[in-house]
Amino acid sequence: MNKRLLIIGPKGSGSHIIAQAIEQTDKPIRKVANLLYTKKTIIVPSQYLESPWMHKHIIALQQEAHQALFLLPIQSTKKSYPPNFAQVFRIPIVGVITYKTGNYSEEMVLKAQRSLKEIGIKRRHIQVDLTDKNDLLTVEKYLNMK
């Protein structure tokens, strides 16, 4: 069975943009209300993260994944993940702070890093500009998917 990259994130975090870059396609990945399996990824709909009773389904998906991305939009004011949620996963987790060019301050970066720590991601995290193709390509290199 082909293990995929599990992509989890709240609304507006750029999960489909990152999946499109990992899939190396120019064709947009359509948004659906259900889990979306592509060749290399599993995209979890934001509604799963917003509903506490769906968290067990997200956790179960790690059986089909080799690692997971926890996306966190830098301008987010709402806590989307429960405290220490990443701690229940037994696959490697990478926190990804997402933003669009020039749309953030250093204070916002520090706040996002604190949020990642609350989620349970202590060390492995990166920042990704969703409008920069080179930045998006570095995600795959960082994850050592090639």
Side-chain angles (χ1 to χ4, degrees):
M1 179 163 77
N2 184 18
K3 297 268 184 167
R4 294 174 169 94
L5 176 66
L6 182 60
I7 302 176
I8 306 164
K11 189 174 183 170
S13 61
S15 58
H16 286 78
I17 294 169
I18 289 175
Q20 185 177 339
I22 290 168
E23 292 292 334
Q24 298 176 345
T25 180
D26 292 330
K27 186 178 175 186
I29 295 174
R30 64 187 177 96
K31 296 179 183 186
V32 293
N34 298 320
L35 292 170
L36 181 61
Y37 288 79
T38 65
K39 275 186 174 178
K40 297 181 184 179
T41 67
I42 303 169
I43 305 170
V44 177
S46 60
Q47 295 90 337
Y48 278 43
L49 198 53
E50 294 166 5
S51 303
W53 57 274
M54 292 299 285
H55 292 173
K56 64 185 173 200
H57 298 289
I58 297 172
I59 294 165
L61 286 169
Q62 71 181 310
Q63 296 175 36
E64 301 177 47
H66 62 88
Q67 64 183 314
L69 295 183
F70 278 47
L71 307 183
L72 185 67
I74 201 161
Q75 54 284 74
S76 179
T77 56
K78 176 178 143 184
K79 293 195 186 284
S80 300
Y81 298 91
N84 293 314
F85 188 55
Q87 297 298 307
V88 299
F89 286 79
R90 297 293 166 242
I91 57 176
I93 303 288
V94 177
V96 181
I97 300 169
T98 60
Y99 63 93
K100 294 184 179 173
T101 305
N103 209 11
Y104 69 94
S105 66
E106 190 61 36
E107 182 181 320
M108 292 168 89
V109 172
L110 293 172
K111 182 180 174 194
Q113 289 172 341
R114 281 193 303 274
S115 292
L116 287 176
K117 285 181 184 173
E118 289 173 13
I119 295 166
I121 301 169
K122 308 272 189 259
R123 291 177 288 168
R124 287 187 75 195
H125 72 273
I126 56 176
Q127 289 177 216
V128 175
D129 181 346
L130 297 172
T131 61
D132 184 341
K133 285 191 183 221
N134 289 329
D135 228 18
L136 289 166
L137 291 174
T138 61
V139 172
E140 186 171 16
K141 290 177 185 169
Y142 183 83
L143 299 173
N144 297 319
M145 290 185 65
K146 287 196 173 188

